[in-house]
Amino acid sequence: MRGETRSYAAARRERAADVDRWLTDLLRAACGTPYGRGGENAQETEDDTPSTPSTPSTPSTPSSLSAPRNLSLPRSQGAQGGSHNGAAGALRGASRGVALVAVGSLGRAELAPGSDLDLVLLHDGRQDVARIADRVWYPIWDSGAGLDHSVRTVEEAATVARDDLKAALGLIQARHVAGDPELTRAARESVLAEWRTDSRRRLSELRDAADKRAGASGELAFLLEPDLKDARGGIRDVQAMQAVAAAWVASAPGPRVREAYELLLDVRHGLHLVTARGADRLVLQEQDAVAGALGLLDAETLMRRLAEAGRTVAHAFDATWRTVDRLVSGPAPRGRRPLADGVVEHGGEVVLARGADPRKDPVLVLRAAAAAAEAGLPLAQATVNALAAQSPPLPVPWPDEARDALVGLLGAGRAAVPVWEELDQAGVLVRLLPDWERVRHRPQRNPVHRYTVDRHLIEAAAGAASFTREVSRPDLLLISALLHDIGKGWPGDHSTTGAVVARDIGARIGLSTPDVETLETVVRHHLLLPETATRRDLDDPVTISRVAEAVGSREVLELLAALAVADGHATGPAAWNSWKASLVADLVRRVRSVLSGTPPPPAPALSAAQASLARHGGGAVRVNGGAVTVVAPDRAGLLWSAAGVLAAHRMVVRAASAASAGATAVIEFSVTPEYGSPPDPATLEADLRLVLAGRLDIEQRLARRARSLRPPRVPVAPPRVTLVDDASNTATVIEVRARDRPGLLWRIGRAFGECGLDVRAARVETLGAEAVDVFYVVDRAGRPLTDEAQRALVRDQVLASLR
């Protein structure tokens, strides 16, 4: 995992050592005469004025109280070696009954450049402890370092830890810095003893805290801007596993987790260096710089390493809690229940049967995985390890039994995902399917995608399992779902390269030649239906004939239709919604008719609700939650005028379709508020009616909004305007891709109007922060654009409107 990554572990340890020496100097000065342990001197100097670094209690040079260089102040004299050692005996004597204890990152000697200092001043009740505390805390504050501090007796520390999880976790891993070591030892032993005695309650509390963190921060491996500490699979999850191990319930994290943990710490260290502050969230604009600080090629390499580390930690974290659950629930029922040939259930896990030998049965690994998924049980870790170490390579092409086991695993649906993850963590998948290595942990730096490429593929396959009874070849549906984005590991268009890779894999796993060809076609065209449905006019005969020609058969059409739904849901909520689902279903219905040799269905008439609105004559509007319908007499500029009103009301257009039914135009918008609550529907309807009647100038409102907008935080690719040839015989199809912003659709539409064009139909879609808008335009005579000079002018005008 680490490879050439630059490590900052030594720097963190050195920084912690420097801070230790500085804190030791501070405690020595604070405990020196006349503020010794109790007695007359303490009583004689009692007053209400806290001491400050400018009036130390013992003679010392100013530099002896200054922070080390990595706290941005001159390095302490004590850190130079001999002078510090010479004072050790005096410190032990003067500080009897008081100890400075480091918790948190300093306690673990993992002090990053922006880390705060977490300190506990333990004491045995000595009367001058408040004065000692002031003399330690004030120089730290003056240095500019963040400080989380407390002053407690051993008994108080144990009491607080009993009810405060954070305090307990800190003291479990506390480290003695200076003063009386017996106090530190007593506090740690007391807290650890109670942690182990009350482990059932404390571990439940620890797990709840981890679940809340994950719920708030998401999963590190799949986030565009992960929180390195609090996300699932992050730094705190490793520390939680260490706390479980301290309770003597499960083993401490193994070498792979420790390696992943060091990478997370290094990335956080690099982030602190780049930003010059104690940040934990790795935002997009810092990723290339952090990658450079770690000696990595670029942000994609960094995020792939992070994804691998996060999934390693999350996998181990889940295994740790399975161990905890077994302890809490008591011994599992004895006995072995057969699940498949050579595979049994034992103690709530899937294990190998007695006599099963992976070395003689290369299919056993897939059979065990399928059995585990179908039973909804985890594979025992020892079983996974044995299968990974002992299973020989499968023959090529695979035997039918191996392919059937793969299909059985994928067909288990959601239960297949954790089993697949087990195989991946053990390195089994890349041996079964070598092409998997190219997509493994590959990030998708796009807000639309919520998973890495490999996780997206297994999620899509799990989703496709819901449609296996709706297609004639469920096996090909599951395999194509697993492989539909396999080309993302190669340069070029991933659908084209993926089709080639899928053909090779199909032959490898033993599919027949016709099935390999079907698989290749499905992978090549897996985006055909959703892209056509959302970016083309389905009433245009050219649209339907092109899709029918590409699909070729009803079998492929039904596979593509099911895959589109599974792929969309696995991508994320921005990639699939009811609007897109209805458009895809309409497209499938039309193409199915063509493939069956029957006349295509007629263009849909107005729905009953739309017809009711149209009876208003001058135009009507209906707002129903996030759905806005505008029905009005067809005229130029209607689409973007309505879009301008929505933008002025802080509504983001996520999707829109515009079409004409005779002399009536129907526009359907899917909208969400930019922030806060949506506007009052009555006010929105009133403004829409005003703009339909030509009584509202929306330009000034949008201009005010534009002036208040902040520029994007990250570099934005330039917009692109493409005139798509051969997409229609009756109109010119113009595709616009740009960063979404308020009023974008209105600006594009106004540019069309300035060019003398009319929009006959439109498909508008927002994917994360990117808008993909397609317009069918004609000139004033109702004809497509054929003059090259006019086409260039339109392209330039639209681009100008986007700047």
Side-chain angles (χ1 to χ4, degrees):
M1 181 185 301
R2 295 298 293 268
E4 73 280 7
T5 307
R6 182 176 298 126
S7 174
Y8 290 103
R12 288 190 291 275
R13 289 192 296 270
E14 180 183 356
R15 185 168 188 269
D18 279 353
V19 172
D20 281 0
R21 287 188 284 267
W22 176 51
L23 294 174
T24 300
D25 286 347
L26 293 178
L27 186 63
R28 181 180 68 239
C31 292
T33 56
Y35 305 120
R37 182 177 184 270
E40 293 180 1
N41 288 337
Q43 295 295 327
E44 289 171 3
T45 58
E46 194 74 20
D47 61 45
D48 294 330
T49 305
S51 57
T52 66
S54 59
T55 55
S57 58
T58 57
S60 61
T61 63
S63 63
S64 69
L65 295 179
S66 60
R69 64 180 184 276
N70 41 29
L71 288 178
S72 303
L73 290 175
R75 188 174 183 178
S76 68
Q77 293 292 334
Q80 302 299 322
S83 62
H84 183 274
N85 294 334
L91 173 60
R92 282 193 295 270
S95 64
R96 190 173 298 115
V98 66
L100 197 57
V101 180
V103 297
S105 57
L106 178 60
R108 294 183 298 271
E110 296 167 355
L111 204 61
S115 295
D116 291 343
L117 303 184
D118 296 327
L119 298 169
V120 179
L121 188 66
L122 292 173
H123 66 98
D124 63 355
R126 57 186 290 172
Q127 297 175 5
D128 61 342
V129 69
R131 187 182 299 278
I132 293 172
D134 286 343
R135 288 180 177 268
V136 174
W137 305 152
Y138 274 90
I140 298 174
W141 286 323
D142 289 344
S143 77
L147 175 64
D148 187 356
H149 61 92
S150 60
V151 180
R152 312 209 192 282
T153 65
V154 170
E155 293 76 15
E156 288 170 344
T159 299
V160 170
R162 200 171 297 134
D163 299 315
D164 186 326
L165 181 64
K166 180 182 177 182
L169 295 176
L171 288 169
I172 284 172
Q173 297 181 321
R175 184 172 58 80
H176 180 74
V177 173
D180 189 342
E182 286 302 308
L183 289 177
T184 305
R185 180 193 60 76
R188 286 192 76 242
E189 289 183 355
S190 176
V191 171
L192 272 169
E194 291 209 26
W195 181 256
R196 290 161 183 161
T197 301
D198 198 15
S199 62
R200 186 182 296 263
R201 177 181 72 88
R202 300 319 301 268
L203 294 186
S204 175
E205 188 180 353
L206 181 64
R207 188 173 195 173
D208 287 344
D211 289 344
K212 289 178 181 176
R213 284 200 312 272
S217 301
E219 190 153 2
L220 184 145
F222 309 129
L223 292 168
L224 274 177
E225 298 184 329
D227 186 311
L228 300 169
K229 284 182 71 173
D230 286 341
R232 171 174 156 79
I235 290 170
R236 290 202 191 280
D237 279 356
V238 180
Q239 294 163 1
M241 286 188 277
Q242 293 167 340
V244 174
W248 293 344
V249 172
S251 300
R256 290 187 68 241
V257 175
R258 292 197 297 272
E259 185 181 4
Y261 182 61
E262 285 298 321
L263 177 67
L264 295 173
L265 292 176
D266 283 344
V267 174
R268 183 169 177 259
H269 194 119
L271 179 61
H272 287 193
L273 292 176
V274 166
T275 61
R277 58 189 177 84
D280 294 320
R281 184 172 295 279
L282 182 59
V283 297
L284 281 167
Q285 64 263 36
E286 309 293 356
Q287 290 173 7
D288 278 309
V290 173
L294 269 66
L296 296 175
L297 179 63
D298 54 23
E300 180 165 335
T301 306
L302 168 66
M303 298 309 289
R304 193 168 187 178
R305 290 285 188 87
L306 266 183
E308 183 177 8
R311 288 169 77 170
T312 297
V313 170
H315 175 262
F317 189 73
D318 290 342
T320 295
W321 289 110
R322 285 200 297 271
T323 301
V324 173
D325 289 342
R326 285 197 296 273
L327 175 74
V328 170
S329 60
R334 295 183 177 274
R336 291 173 169 247
R337 179 169 67 94
L339 297 176
D341 183 18
V343 183
V344 298
E345 175 191 353
H346 177 67
E349 295 180 318
V350 174
V351 301
L352 298 182
R354 295 186 181 95
D357 189 349
R359 292 167 295 188
K360 298 178 181 178
D361 186 355
V363 181
L364 182 57
V365 60
L366 281 171
R367 200 162 58 244
E374 290 165 356
L377 295 170
L379 281 165
Q381 191 60 55
T383 297
V384 176
N385 294 341
L387 290 167
Q390 300 174 27
S391 295
L394 277 166
V396 177
W398 288 9
D400 292 348
E401 183 191 0
R403 188 175 61 258
D404 290 345
L406 174 64
V407 171
L409 168 60
L410 301 177
R414 292 294 314 158
V417 176
V419 176
W420 191 266
E421 190 75 11
E422 287 283 356
L423 299 183
D424 179 72
Q425 289 291 322
V428 171
L429 292 182
V430 293
R431 295 207 298 270
L432 292 171
L433 302 170
D435 288 293
W436 195 257
E437 180 62 40
R438 283 186 173 268
V439 297
R440 188 169 183 258
H441 307 307
R442 182 173 292 278
Q444 306 197 73
R445 303 185 74 194
N446 184 321
V448 175
H449 286 274
R450 57 181 169 185
Y451 295 119
T452 54
V453 177
D454 58 335
R455 180 59 178 266
H456 167 73
L457 291 175
I458 185 59
E459 290 282 344
S466 302
F467 301 97
T468 52
R469 288 182 172 82
E470 300 179 19
V471 297
S472 59
R473 289 297 303 273
D475 56 337
L476 292 182
L477 172 61
L478 295 169
I479 294 169
S480 61
L482 181 69
L483 301 178
H484 73 276
D485 276 349
I486 197 72
K488 287 188 174 178
W490 297 82
D493 178 77
H494 79 278
S495 298
T496 303
T497 57
V500 177
V501 177
R503 170 179 279 276
D504 293 341
I505 294 176
R508 179 185 187 88
I509 65 177
L511 290 175
S512 67
T513 299
D515 287 351
V516 168
E517 291 174 353
T518 299
L519 175 64
E520 179 184 13
T521 300
V522 172
V523 171
R524 185 182 302 278
H525 295 301
H526 72 272
L527 294 175
L528 178 65
L529 298 184
E531 287 191 347
T532 301
T534 57
R535 301 176 192 176
R536 295 294 180 265
D537 180 9
L538 302 189
D539 292 331
D540 193 318
V542 173
T543 299
I544 307 305
S545 63
R546 290 286 169 81
V547 174
E549 181 182 354
V551 169
S553 70
R554 293 190 63 175
E555 178 183 88
V556 171
L557 178 64
E558 65 184 15
L559 289 173
L560 288 172
L563 178 56
V565 181
D567 184 17
H569 282 299
T571 299
W576 194 257
N577 50 42
S578 58
W579 171 77
K580 182 178 286 189
S582 66
L583 291 176
V584 169
D586 186 22
L587 174 60
V588 170
R589 179 175 62 90
R590 294 167 184 254
V591 175
R592 185 184 294 118
S593 296
V594 172
L595 293 173
S596 301
T598 59
L606 296 181
S607 68
Q610 291 168 344
S612 175
L613 287 175
R615 283 194 287 272
H616 286 269
V621 176
R622 174 167 293 166
V623 179
N624 183 13
V628 178
T629 304
V630 177
V631 179
D634 197 5
R635 69 170 189 270
L638 183 63
L639 170 66
W640 56 83
S641 296
V645 174
L646 294 172
H649 282 267
R650 299 184 294 101
M651 301 300 287
V652 177
V653 176
R654 292 298 179 194
S657 62
S660 298
T664 302
V666 179
I667 307 174
E668 297 279 359
F669 293 101
S670 174
V671 298
T672 57
E674 283 183 44
Y675 52 84
S677 303
D680 176 47
T683 304
L684 180 58
E685 287 186 28
D687 279 357
L688 283 167
R689 290 194 177 96
L690 286 174
V691 82
L692 292 177
R695 295 163 51 197
L696 178 63
D697 182 3
I698 205 67
E699 186 168 357
Q700 286 189 344
R701 291 195 191 182
L702 291 175
R704 286 197 299 270
R705 290 222 57 213
R707 287 193 294 269
S708 67
L709 294 176
R710 294 181 179 180
R713 295 184 305 163
V714 296
V716 177
R720 189 176 73 190
V721 178
T722 305
L723 277 68
V724 183
D725 294 319
D726 302 326
S728 174
N729 294 330
T730 58
T732 296
V733 177
I734 301 179
E735 181 178 280
V736 180
R737 292 173 176 257
R739 180 84 173 185
D740 190 33
R741 55 177 172 159
L744 177 68
L745 186 54
W746 178 79
R747 290 181 176 86
I748 296 170
R750 187 177 62 172
F752 287 149
E754 291 170 351
C755 293
L757 302 181
D758 187 22
V759 177
R760 198 193 70 188
R763 292 287 187 268
V764 174
E765 186 176 18
T766 304
L767 300 172
E770 295 299 309
V772 181
D773 300 343
V774 178
F775 307 90
Y776 283 67
V777 302
V778 293
D779 61 17
R780 292 296 187 214
R783 297 170 302 194
L785 310 182
T786 56
D787 182 73
E788 285 302 323
Q790 185 184 21
R791 288 161 62 94
L793 175 64
V794 170
R795 184 186 296 108
D796 292 343
Q797 286 284 91
V798 174
L799 281 173
S801 74
L802 301 174
R803 296 191 179 100

